[in-house]
Structures are given as structure tokens and as C-alpha cells.
Amino acid sequence: MTEREATLHTDAGDLELPVVEPTAGNAGLDIRRLRGELGYVTFDPGFANTAGTKSSITYVDGAAGELRHRGYRIEDLAEHCSFLEVAYLLLFGELPTRAQLEAWSLEIKHHTLLSEEMKRFFDAFPRSAHPMAILSSATNAISTFYETYYNPSDSEAVIESAKRLIAKMPTIAAWAYKKSIGQPYVYPRNDLDYVENFLHMMFALPVEETKIDPVVARALNVLLILHADHGQNCSTATVRSVGSARANLFASVAAGMNALWGPLHGGANQAVIEMLQEILDDPDATVESTIARAKDPNDPFRLMGFGHRVYRNYDPRAKVLRSFAHEVLERTSGTDPMLEVAQELEARALADPYFAERKLFPNVDFYSGIIFRALGFPPRMFTVLFAIGRLPGWIANWKEMIEDPDTRITRPRQVYVGIVDRPFVPIDRR
Ligand code: ACO
């Protein structure tokens, strides 16, 4: 195979750009010598054309609508694996053997409790607090119990931090929810698996025995797997960026959660439900008017759950969820008028030239909220569920970044376009 070459011609001179070869997807042009040798920087808002790193965790083919973790197709992982199995794959690069999975699950199980002092922490929030605010705050707060694990270069401490984060996140999430509805916090149970335990802490009451519906547990397991990682998305890039300053794993993950909360990222699943609810409740908000608003360049409104920076095709996660939504609804609530509205909205949008020309398709958030609802979760918990799912991906990326000898502190340049130099004006003369 001949090595590829690229040459950049500029008025300041030419530069040979080494090609960073991928195993799949886009090759990279190594521009690291650009500023030093030619005095230019690249201009790429949102880093849409910029690879900030090499990675061997997740491959997304946006044109074909494919997603693979460590080479395994997301459809296969969703069908055959447990969430902790996928977490192991992301973190350690291989699917676990039965013995490795048992040991891994047991270790996670042994760290699910929160320190009793953390109860007072939850008590301090107003009942109306958004659970995402509590989740990221509590993630930072639990780091205060693990200062000995702060050193990013201590690989054993990193794994210990990872275990605690994965183990405690469902407890934090469930307690944030219990706080919001004024119910007592429920402790984890070691006889339950990861997903069952989370459902127990979410929905159990001390006054009666909990029954975990296996359909609900299986559905939540699939949903968490579908959210587990997705390359250099906004929250993962945030986790890496904060970690590049050698901030500890807890602090980096808490920052990623705040990025995820945004309605253009993980907050979209809540926004989709609100949009569909408006169509159901408000006679002025129809499927047609919603699509018309999304197309109007003078209206900032966007069709929530549609479009993606990478996918120019149907998001494979949305494809799994679309058929899964019917299955889950049949087994839980029976039907949901929201699913009908969602399907009508999808059909109309896909047939509309505006969405076709821009290659806008449903993303993972379009159907996930409908399933979360059917499983009994309120909309304000949807992004929290996304965060629990994405946690192994954040940790795997943080770990990869720390271990990568090419890593430097994230510090993009800018093209300055402001006033260059002005004489100072004293306050009385302004
Ligand atoms: N509704 C209407 N128009 C849209 C939408 C949408 N959902 N998404 C993109 N467009 C339009 C843009 O207005 C733009 O049109 P123009 O070329 O006429 O200006 C064009 O499509 C390209 O859009 P960009 O904003 O350049 O695409 P970008 O890659 O920057 O944004 C994003 C991707 C943020 C996901 C966007 O599609 C969006 O806002 N979607 C709605 C929110 C959403 O569902 N977010 C979840 C994403 S998945 C995730 O995070 C898990």
C-alpha cells in the first residue's frame, strides 16, 4: 500500500501534512506543525472537521448509520449483553469471560452504597431541583471521599474510581428522584443485578415488597447499552478536555454531565416528550405546525430528536428503539398516543424536502423518552438515565486520553477579530 500524502499550499509557504491512517472512517491530516511553521491556525467552529484524538473505543459511520464498540455492532451488544458487560468491554477493550463478568459485577455490587453523610447532601436541595443538577453535584461531592484516588497517573486508582462511579451512579440517580417526590431514600440490595437494583431504588417503598418486572429490567438494560458511548460527542469531549488538565476522574465526569444536560445533547430526550405533549395538548400545535416551525429560519425552534452531527442516515440506536418501543408498550402500558404522534411526525418529516436535503433523521433521543415513560420514569429523569448509560463511555475515553502519550492540555486557538489597540479612556470621559 502506498503511503498517502497531503501538501498544503499557502502564501506563507507549503507544508507536508502527514496522514494519520484510520482502521475505518476518515483519515486525519496532522496539522501540528502548521502554526509554528506557517503562522496559520485552522478555523473549525464546533470542531466538526477536527479529530482531537485517535481512539480505538467506538466507531460511528454516519453515512451508513452504523455504530460499533471495540468492533462489535451495537445491535448485537444490545441483544446479547448486560450493561455491565458492555461497560467492561468499553473500559478494558475485550468482552469479559463468564468468570471476569462475575468478578466485575460483584466488585460493582460492593460499592453501591453512598456514605451516610451524603444523605444530608441530598436533603439540602430544594424539592424542585432538576435531578441533573443533583447528579453532577453529587458526583463532585463523592470525590471528596476518595482523595487518595485523585492521581490520574495511578492506573489502579483510576480503576477504583471507575468502579465507584459506575456502582454509585444508580444510587445517586434514584436518591435524586426520591428527593424530588419526597419519598424516603431506598438502599441498594446486593441480591439484585445492576439494572434491577436501580429500579428497586427508584420505585420501592419501605412499606411493601418490590416486584421488579423482568420486561422493564430488560428494556432498561437495552436502553443503557444504547447510550453507553458515542465517540467524541459534546459531553465526552468535555470529559476529555477537563481531564487533559489532569483533573481527577470524578471532576471530569461531573463536567461531562453538565454538558449532557443541554437540550441539544442529552437534554433532547426530555425536550422530545415536551414537544410531543404539546402536540397532544395544545390545539394550535399540530404535527404540521411543529414541522413548519422547525423549518422556519426565523424561529429558533428545532425538531427535537432529529438531526445529528455525525449521522446523515437513520441513527442505528433510534432504529433499535423504534421497534423496541412497540414491544415495550405492548408489555407495559398497552398503547401510548405519544408513540402515534411520534411516528406521524417522523413520517412527515422524512417525506419533507427540508429534512431530506439536510439528511436529518431521528436520533437516539426521538424514541428513548417514550420508552422511559412506559417504564415509569418521569421526563426530568430521562437525561439522568442517559448519563448512567454514558458513564462507561466517559470513563473509557478519559482513561484512553490519560494513557495516550500524544495527549496535551486542551487549549484551542482562536482567530481574533476584535479591536486591536485603543488608547485608554478615563471613566469621566467615556
Ligand atoms: N430541526 C430543524 N432543522 C434542523 C435540525 C432540527 N432538529 N437539526 C438541524 N437542522 C438544520 C439546521 O437549521 C441547519 O439548516 P441550515 O443549513 O439551513 O442552516 C442544518 O440542518 C444543519 O444543522 P446544524 O445545526 O449545522 O447541525 P449540527 O451538526 O451543528 O447540529 C444537532 C446537530 C445539534 C444535533 C442538531 O441537529 C439539533 O439541534 N437537533 C435537535 C436537538 C437534538 O435532537 N439533539 C440530540 C442530538 S443526539 C445526542 O446528543 C444524543
Side-chain angles (χ1 to χ4, degrees), residues 263-266 268 294 302-309 312 354-355 358 360 363-365 386:
L264 295 189
H265 190 14
R302 286 185 163 195
L303 197 57
M304 298 315 289
F306 254 74
H308 198 276
R309 172 59 62 80
R312 295 292 178 245
Y354 173 95
F355 294 90
R358 289 168 179 76
L360 301 171
N363 59 49
V364 66
D365 292 317
F386 191 152

PDB file of all heavy atoms in Angstrom, residues 263-266 268 294 302-309 312 354-355 358 360 363-365 386, ligand 1:
ATOM      1  N   PRO A 263     -30.097  20.862  26.075  1.00  0.00           N
ATOM      2  CA  PRO A 263     -31.152  20.309  25.209  1.00  0.00           C
ATOM      3  C   PRO A 263     -30.688  19.933  23.805  1.00  0.00           C
ATOM      4  O   PRO A 263     -31.372  19.186  23.123  1.00  0.00           O
ATOM      5  CB  PRO A 263     -32.203  21.422  25.156  1.00  0.00           C
ATOM      6  CG  PRO A 263     -31.510  22.658  25.594  1.00  0.00           C
ATOM      7  CD  PRO A 263     -30.389  22.237  26.503  1.00  0.00           C
ATOM      8  N   LEU A 264     -29.518  20.429  23.373  1.00  0.00           N
ATOM      9  CA  LEU A 264     -29.026  19.997  22.059  1.00  0.00           C
ATOM     10  C   LEU A 264     -28.273  18.676  22.163  1.00  0.00           C
ATOM     11  O   LEU A 264     -27.882  18.091  21.166  1.00  0.00           O
ATOM     12  CB  LEU A 264     -28.116  21.062  21.432  1.00  0.00           C
ATOM     13  CG  LEU A 264     -28.785  22.386  21.091  1.00  0.00           C
ATOM     14  CD1 LEU A 264     -27.847  23.260  20.277  1.00  0.00           C
ATOM     15  CD2 LEU A 264     -30.094  22.179  20.336  1.00  0.00           C
ATOM     16  N   HIS A 265     -28.052  18.215  23.379  1.00  0.00           N
ATOM     17  CA  HIS A 265     -27.312  16.948  23.583  1.00  0.00           C
ATOM     18  C   HIS A 265     -28.255  15.999  24.322  1.00  0.00           C
ATOM     19  O   HIS A 265     -29.323  15.672  23.822  1.00  0.00           O
ATOM     20  CB  HIS A 265     -26.015  17.288  24.333  1.00  0.00           C
ATOM     21  CG  HIS A 265     -25.018  16.192  24.447  1.00  0.00           C
ATOM     22  ND1 HIS A 265     -25.057  15.037  23.709  1.00  0.00           N
ATOM     23  CD2 HIS A 265     -23.903  16.073  25.237  1.00  0.00           C
ATOM     24  CE1 HIS A 265     -24.035  14.254  24.029  1.00  0.00           C
ATOM     25  NE2 HIS A 265     -23.318  14.860  24.958  1.00  0.00           N
ATOM     26  N   GLY A 266     -27.899  15.575  25.541  1.00  0.00           N
ATOM     27  CA  GLY A 266     -28.710  14.573  26.241  1.00  0.00           C
ATOM     28  C   GLY A 266     -30.041  15.095  26.733  1.00  0.00           C
ATOM     29  O   GLY A 266     -30.960  14.313  27.003  1.00  0.00           O
ATOM     30  N   ALA A 268     -32.135  16.434  25.051  1.00  0.00           N
ATOM     31  CA  ALA A 268     -33.124  16.357  23.969  1.00  0.00           C
ATOM     32  C   ALA A 268     -34.209  15.321  24.255  1.00  0.00           C
ATOM     33  O   ALA A 268     -35.340  15.473  23.811  1.00  0.00           O
ATOM     34  CB  ALA A 268     -32.428  16.048  22.641  1.00  0.00           C
ATOM     35  N   ALA A 294     -40.096  24.160  12.792  1.00  0.00           N
ATOM     36  CA  ALA A 294     -38.713  23.650  12.704  1.00  0.00           C
ATOM     37  C   ALA A 294     -38.025  24.110  11.428  1.00  0.00           C
ATOM     38  O   ALA A 294     -36.809  24.299  11.400  1.00  0.00           O
ATOM     39  CB  ALA A 294     -38.722  22.128  12.786  1.00  0.00           C
ATOM     40  N   ARG A 302     -36.264  23.814  16.973  1.00  0.00           N
ATOM     41  CA  ARG A 302     -35.817  22.689  16.146  1.00  0.00           C
ATOM     42  C   ARG A 302     -36.650  21.461  16.458  1.00  0.00           C
ATOM     43  O   ARG A 302     -37.148  21.321  17.584  1.00  0.00           O
ATOM     44  CB  ARG A 302     -34.357  22.372  16.420  1.00  0.00           C
ATOM     45  CG  ARG A 302     -33.458  23.403  15.821  1.00  0.00           C
ATOM     46  CD  ARG A 302     -32.020  23.068  15.963  1.00  0.00           C
ATOM     47  NE  ARG A 302     -31.277  23.885  15.011  1.00  0.00           N
ATOM     48  CZ  ARG A 302     -30.037  23.661  14.650  1.00  0.00           C
ATOM     49  NH1 ARG A 302     -29.386  22.655  15.144  1.00  0.00           N
ATOM     50  NH2 ARG A 302     -29.446  24.443  13.785  1.00  0.00           N
ATOM     51  N   LEU A 303     -36.778  20.597  15.500  1.00  0.00           N
ATOM     52  CA  LEU A 303     -37.498  19.353  15.737  1.00  0.00           C
ATOM     53  C   LEU A 303     -36.630  18.502  16.662  1.00  0.00           C
ATOM     54  O   LEU A 303     -35.577  17.990  16.253  1.00  0.00           O
ATOM     55  CB  LEU A 303     -37.719  18.643  14.396  1.00  0.00           C
ATOM     56  CG  LEU A 303     -38.775  17.553  14.391  1.00  0.00           C
ATOM     57  CD1 LEU A 303     -40.124  18.073  14.849  1.00  0.00           C
ATOM     58  CD2 LEU A 303     -38.891  16.950  13.000  1.00  0.00           C
ATOM     59  N   MET A 304     -37.051  18.403  17.909  1.00  0.00           N
ATOM     60  CA  MET A 304     -36.205  17.735  18.889  1.00  0.00           C
ATOM     61  C   MET A 304     -36.159  16.229  18.591  1.00  0.00           C
ATOM     62  O   MET A 304     -37.157  15.640  18.198  1.00  0.00           O
ATOM     63  CB  MET A 304     -36.716  17.992  20.315  1.00  0.00           C
ATOM     64  CG  MET A 304     -36.709  19.461  20.708  1.00  0.00           C
ATOM     65  SD  MET A 304     -35.192  20.349  20.268  1.00  0.00           S
ATOM     66  CE  MET A 304     -34.007  19.672  21.412  1.00  0.00           C
ATOM     67  N   GLY A 305     -34.967  15.644  18.785  1.00  0.00           N
ATOM     68  CA  GLY A 305     -34.790  14.228  18.474  1.00  0.00           C
ATOM     69  C   GLY A 305     -34.508  13.984  17.007  1.00  0.00           C
ATOM     70  O   GLY A 305     -34.485  12.835  16.557  1.00  0.00           O
ATOM     71  N   PHE A 306     -34.299  15.067  16.246  1.00  0.00           N
ATOM     72  CA  PHE A 306     -33.963  14.950  14.824  1.00  0.00           C
ATOM     73  C   PHE A 306     -32.619  15.612  14.558  1.00  0.00           C
ATOM     74  O   PHE A 306     -32.323  16.666  15.113  1.00  0.00           O
ATOM     75  CB  PHE A 306     -35.028  15.648  13.965  1.00  0.00           C
ATOM     76  CG  PHE A 306     -35.917  14.676  13.253  1.00  0.00           C
ATOM     77  CD1 PHE A 306     -36.882  13.964  13.955  1.00  0.00           C
ATOM     78  CD2 PHE A 306     -35.779  14.448  11.883  1.00  0.00           C
ATOM     79  CE1 PHE A 306     -37.700  13.053  13.316  1.00  0.00           C
ATOM     80  CE2 PHE A 306     -36.592  13.535  11.231  1.00  0.00           C
ATOM     81  CZ  PHE A 306     -37.556  12.840  11.934  1.00  0.00           C
ATOM     82  N   GLY A 307     -31.847  15.001  13.664  1.00  0.00           N
ATOM     83  CA  GLY A 307     -30.570  15.593  13.267  1.00  0.00           C
ATOM     84  C   GLY A 307     -29.445  15.094  14.160  1.00  0.00           C
ATOM     85  O   GLY A 307     -29.674  14.682  15.311  1.00  0.00           O
ATOM     86  N   HIS A 308     -28.269  15.103  13.620  1.00  0.00           N
ATOM     87  CA  HIS A 308     -27.105  14.646  14.376  1.00  0.00           C
ATOM     88  C   HIS A 308     -25.854  15.143  13.685  1.00  0.00           C
ATOM     89  O   HIS A 308     -25.808  15.186  12.460  1.00  0.00           O
ATOM     90  CB  HIS A 308     -27.089  13.108  14.451  1.00  0.00           C
ATOM     91  CG  HIS A 308     -26.206  12.580  15.519  1.00  0.00           C
ATOM     92  ND1 HIS A 308     -24.858  12.414  15.343  1.00  0.00           N
ATOM     93  CD2 HIS A 308     -26.478  12.210  16.793  1.00  0.00           C
ATOM     94  CE1 HIS A 308     -24.333  11.952  16.458  1.00  0.00           C
ATOM     95  NE2 HIS A 308     -25.294  11.821  17.361  1.00  0.00           N
ATOM     96  N   ARG A 309     -24.855  15.508  14.461  1.00  0.00           N
ATOM     97  CA  ARG A 309     -23.607  15.984  13.879  1.00  0.00           C
ATOM     98  C   ARG A 309     -22.956  14.911  12.998  1.00  0.00           C
ATOM     99  O   ARG A 309     -22.396  15.214  11.955  1.00  0.00           O
ATOM    100  CB  ARG A 309     -22.657  16.410  15.006  1.00  0.00           C
ATOM    101  CG  ARG A 309     -21.236  16.755  14.595  1.00  0.00           C
ATOM    102  CD  ARG A 309     -21.153  17.893  13.581  1.00  0.00           C
ATOM    103  NE  ARG A 309     -21.677  19.131  14.053  1.00  0.00           N
ATOM    104  CZ  ARG A 309     -21.051  19.993  14.860  1.00  0.00           C
ATOM    105  NH1 ARG A 309     -19.850  19.718  15.295  1.00  0.00           N
ATOM    106  NH2 ARG A 309     -21.625  21.112  15.209  1.00  0.00           N
ATOM    107  N   ARG A 312     -25.775  10.992   9.010  1.00  0.00           N
ATOM    108  CA  ARG A 312     -26.504  11.548   7.874  1.00  0.00           C
ATOM    109  C   ARG A 312     -27.436  10.464   7.366  1.00  0.00           C
ATOM    110  O   ARG A 312     -27.722  10.342   6.188  1.00  0.00           O
ATOM    111  CB  ARG A 312     -25.518  11.994   6.775  1.00  0.00           C
ATOM    112  CG  ARG A 312     -24.625  13.134   7.235  1.00  0.00           C
ATOM    113  CD  ARG A 312     -25.450  14.426   7.427  1.00  0.00           C
ATOM    114  NE  ARG A 312     -24.646  15.540   7.912  1.00  0.00           N
ATOM    115  CZ  ARG A 312     -24.804  16.130   9.091  1.00  0.00           C
ATOM    116  NH1 ARG A 312     -25.725  15.706   9.928  1.00  0.00           N
ATOM    117  NH2 ARG A 312     -24.065  17.150   9.435  1.00  0.00           N
ATOM    118  N   TYR A 354     -37.127  19.579   3.188  1.00  0.00           N
ATOM    119  CA  TYR A 354     -36.225  20.298   4.109  1.00  0.00           C
ATOM    120  C   TYR A 354     -35.344  19.311   4.867  1.00  0.00           C
ATOM    121  O   TYR A 354     -34.127  19.454   4.946  1.00  0.00           O
ATOM    122  CB  TYR A 354     -37.055  21.132   5.106  1.00  0.00           C
ATOM    123  CG  TYR A 354     -36.226  21.790   6.201  1.00  0.00           C
ATOM    124  CD1 TYR A 354     -35.774  23.099   6.067  1.00  0.00           C
ATOM    125  CD2 TYR A 354     -35.904  21.095   7.376  1.00  0.00           C
ATOM    126  CE1 TYR A 354     -35.013  23.704   7.074  1.00  0.00           C
ATOM    127  CE2 TYR A 354     -35.148  21.688   8.379  1.00  0.00           C
ATOM    128  CZ  TYR A 354     -34.712  22.990   8.222  1.00  0.00           C
ATOM    129  OH  TYR A 354     -33.960  23.577   9.206  1.00  0.00           O
ATOM    130  N   PHE A 355     -35.981  18.268   5.429  1.00  0.00           N
ATOM    131  CA  PHE A 355     -35.243  17.284   6.242  1.00  0.00           C
ATOM    132  C   PHE A 355     -34.437  16.338   5.341  1.00  0.00           C
ATOM    133  O   PHE A 355     -33.313  15.961   5.682  1.00  0.00           O
ATOM    134  CB  PHE A 355     -36.212  16.504   7.136  1.00  0.00           C
ATOM    135  CG  PHE A 355     -36.856  17.394   8.162  1.00  0.00           C
ATOM    136  CD1 PHE A 355     -38.057  18.051   7.891  1.00  0.00           C
ATOM    137  CD2 PHE A 355     -36.254  17.609   9.389  1.00  0.00           C
ATOM    138  CE1 PHE A 355     -38.636  18.897   8.820  1.00  0.00           C
ATOM    139  CE2 PHE A 355     -36.829  18.459  10.331  1.00  0.00           C
ATOM    140  CZ  PHE A 355     -38.018  19.114  10.042  1.00  0.00           C
ATOM    141  N   ARG A 358     -31.211  18.075   4.047  1.00  0.00           N
ATOM    142  CA  ARG A 358     -30.206  18.245   5.107  1.00  0.00           C
ATOM    143  C   ARG A 358     -29.828  16.921   5.773  1.00  0.00           C
ATOM    144  O   ARG A 358     -29.063  16.901   6.727  1.00  0.00           O
ATOM    145  CB  ARG A 358     -30.744  19.219   6.166  1.00  0.00           C
ATOM    146  CG  ARG A 358     -30.806  20.651   5.659  1.00  0.00           C
ATOM    147  CD  ARG A 358     -31.598  21.537   6.595  1.00  0.00           C
ATOM    148  NE  ARG A 358     -31.642  22.906   6.129  1.00  0.00           N
ATOM    149  CZ  ARG A 358     -32.404  23.344   5.114  1.00  0.00           C
ATOM    150  NH1 ARG A 358     -33.185  22.491   4.465  1.00  0.00           N
ATOM    151  NH2 ARG A 358     -32.390  24.613   4.757  1.00  0.00           N
ATOM    152  N   LEU A 360     -31.561  14.935   7.708  1.00  0.00           N
ATOM    153  CA  LEU A 360     -31.944  14.941   9.136  1.00  0.00           C
ATOM    154  C   LEU A 360     -32.861  13.746   9.398  1.00  0.00           C
ATOM    155  O   LEU A 360     -33.930  13.637   8.801  1.00  0.00           O
ATOM    156  CB  LEU A 360     -32.663  16.246   9.489  1.00  0.00           C
ATOM    157  CG  LEU A 360     -31.871  17.542   9.253  1.00  0.00           C
ATOM    158  CD1 LEU A 360     -32.759  18.767   9.430  1.00  0.00           C
ATOM    159  CD2 LEU A 360     -30.677  17.607  10.200  1.00  0.00           C
ATOM    160  N   ASN A 363     -32.783  10.755  15.847  1.00  0.00           N
ATOM    161  CA  ASN A 363     -31.610  10.307  16.606  1.00  0.00           C
ATOM    162  C   ASN A 363     -32.080   9.507  17.828  1.00  0.00           C
ATOM    163  O   ASN A 363     -33.279   9.318  18.038  1.00  0.00           O
ATOM    164  CB  ASN A 363     -30.719  11.503  16.982  1.00  0.00           C
ATOM    165  CG  ASN A 363     -31.450  12.531  17.828  1.00  0.00           C
ATOM    166  OD1 ASN A 363     -32.090  12.189  18.808  1.00  0.00           O
ATOM    167  ND2 ASN A 363     -31.361  13.802  17.438  1.00  0.00           N
ATOM    168  N   VAL A 364     -31.144   9.065  18.647  1.00  0.00           N
ATOM    169  CA  VAL A 364     -31.446   8.162  19.769  1.00  0.00           C
ATOM    170  C   VAL A 364     -32.519   8.739  20.709  1.00  0.00           C
ATOM    171  O   VAL A 364     -33.295   8.007  21.313  1.00  0.00           O
ATOM    172  CB  VAL A 364     -30.149   7.825  20.552  1.00  0.00           C
ATOM    173  CG1 VAL A 364     -29.573   9.035  21.252  1.00  0.00           C
ATOM    174  CG2 VAL A 364     -30.343   6.692  21.537  1.00  0.00           C
ATOM    175  N   ASP A 365     -32.560  10.080  20.795  1.00  0.00           N
ATOM    176  CA  ASP A 365     -33.481  10.707  21.742  1.00  0.00           C
ATOM    177  C   ASP A 365     -34.933  10.706  21.273  1.00  0.00           C
ATOM    178  O   ASP A 365     -35.830  10.993  22.054  1.00  0.00           O
ATOM    179  CB  ASP A 365     -33.041  12.152  22.010  1.00  0.00           C
ATOM    180  CG  ASP A 365     -31.734  12.201  22.770  1.00  0.00           C
ATOM    181  OD1 ASP A 365     -31.593  11.421  23.714  1.00  0.00           O
ATOM    182  OD2 ASP A 365     -30.863  13.003  22.409  1.00  0.00           O
ATOM    183  N   PHE A 386     -29.757   8.711  30.612  1.00  0.00           N
ATOM    184  CA  PHE A 386     -28.739   8.834  29.564  1.00  0.00           C
ATOM    185  C   PHE A 386     -27.353   8.885  30.229  1.00  0.00           C
ATOM    186  O   PHE A 386     -26.403   8.206  29.804  1.00  0.00           O
ATOM    187  CB  PHE A 386     -29.025  10.108  28.756  1.00  0.00           C
ATOM    188  CG  PHE A 386     -28.242  10.280  27.486  1.00  0.00           C
ATOM    189  CD1 PHE A 386     -28.775  11.013  26.435  1.00  0.00           C
ATOM    190  CD2 PHE A 386     -26.984   9.748  27.321  1.00  0.00           C
ATOM    191  CE1 PHE A 386     -28.081  11.201  25.251  1.00  0.00           C
ATOM    192  CE2 PHE A 386     -26.270   9.929  26.141  1.00  0.00           C
ATOM    193  CZ  PHE A 386     -26.815  10.658  25.111  1.00  0.00           C
TER     194      PHE A 386
HETATM  195  N1  ACO B   1     -34.808  20.688  13.209  1.00  0.00           N
HETATM  196  C1  ACO B   1     -34.771  21.580  12.198  1.00  0.00           C
HETATM  197  N2  ACO B   1     -33.674  21.885  11.497  1.00  0.00           N
HETATM  198  C2  ACO B   1     -32.542  21.271  11.865  1.00  0.00           C
HETATM  199  C3  ACO B   1     -32.478  20.342  12.905  1.00  0.00           C
HETATM  200  C4  ACO B   1     -33.683  20.045  13.582  1.00  0.00           C
HETATM  201  N3  ACO B   1     -33.707  19.164  14.579  1.00  0.00           N
HETATM  202  N4  ACO B   1     -31.224  19.896  13.051  1.00  0.00           N
HETATM  203  C5  ACO B   1     -30.502  20.541  12.121  1.00  0.00           C
HETATM  204  N5  ACO B   1     -31.296  21.374  11.396  1.00  0.00           N
HETATM  205  C6  ACO B   1     -30.894  22.205  10.248  1.00  0.00           C
HETATM  206  C7  ACO B   1     -30.147  23.435  10.692  1.00  0.00           C
HETATM  207  O1  ACO B   1     -31.013  24.511  10.920  1.00  0.00           O
HETATM  208  C8  ACO B   1     -29.230  23.656   9.525  1.00  0.00           C
HETATM  209  O2  ACO B   1     -30.007  24.222   8.485  1.00  0.00           O
HETATM  210  P1  ACO B   1     -29.350  25.327   7.511  1.00  0.00           P
HETATM  211  O3  ACO B   1     -28.272  24.607   6.772  1.00  0.00           O
HETATM  212  O4  ACO B   1     -30.484  25.767   6.669  1.00  0.00           O
HETATM  213  O5  ACO B   1     -28.805  26.406   8.412  1.00  0.00           O
HETATM  214  C9  ACO B   1     -28.862  22.249   9.074  1.00  0.00           C
HETATM  215  O6  ACO B   1     -29.963  21.427   9.475  1.00  0.00           O
HETATM  216  C10 ACO B   1     -27.574  21.706   9.678  1.00  0.00           C
HETATM  217  O7  ACO B   1     -27.676  21.789  11.113  1.00  0.00           O
HETATM  218  P2  ACO B   1     -26.500  22.162  12.087  1.00  0.00           P
HETATM  219  O8  ACO B   1     -27.042  22.919  13.246  1.00  0.00           O
HETATM  220  O9  ACO B   1     -25.383  22.780  11.316  1.00  0.00           O
HETATM  221  O10 ACO B   1     -26.046  20.728  12.534  1.00  0.00           O
HETATM  222  P3  ACO B   1     -25.138  20.411  13.777  1.00  0.00           P
HETATM  223  O11 ACO B   1     -24.375  19.208  13.409  1.00  0.00           O
HETATM  224  O12 ACO B   1     -24.373  21.612  14.211  1.00  0.00           O
HETATM  225  O13 ACO B   1     -26.194  20.096  14.932  1.00  0.00           O
HETATM  226  C11 ACO B   1     -27.704  18.927  16.339  1.00  0.00           C
HETATM  227  C12 ACO B   1     -26.562  18.819  15.312  1.00  0.00           C
HETATM  228  C13 ACO B   1     -27.290  19.867  17.476  1.00  0.00           C
HETATM  229  C14 ACO B   1     -27.950  17.548  16.944  1.00  0.00           C
HETATM  230  C15 ACO B   1     -28.963  19.447  15.617  1.00  0.00           C
HETATM  231  O14 ACO B   1     -29.348  18.559  14.600  1.00  0.00           O
HETATM  232  C16 ACO B   1     -30.124  19.708  16.573  1.00  0.00           C
HETATM  233  O15 ACO B   1     -30.196  20.775  17.177  1.00  0.00           O
HETATM  234  N6  ACO B   1     -31.074  18.704  16.751  1.00  0.00           N
HETATM  235  C17 ACO B   1     -32.149  18.847  17.670  1.00  0.00           C
HETATM  236  C18 ACO B   1     -31.678  18.531  19.091  1.00  0.00           C
HETATM  237  C19 ACO B   1     -31.419  17.058  19.288  1.00  0.00           C
HETATM  238  O16 ACO B   1     -32.211  16.190  18.927  1.00  0.00           O
HETATM  239  N7  ACO B   1     -30.277  16.762  19.930  1.00  0.00           N
HETATM  240  C20 ACO B   1     -29.869  15.398  20.242  1.00  0.00           C
HETATM  241  C21 ACO B   1     -28.667  15.020  19.421  1.00  0.00           C
HETATM  242  S1  ACO B   1     -28.223  13.360  19.679  1.00  0.00           S
HETATM  243  C22 ACO B   1     -27.453  13.359  21.174  1.00  0.00           C
HETATM  244  O17 ACO B   1     -26.878  14.260  21.635  1.00  0.00           O
HETATM  245  C23 ACO B   1     -27.576  12.137  21.897  1.00  0.00           C
END
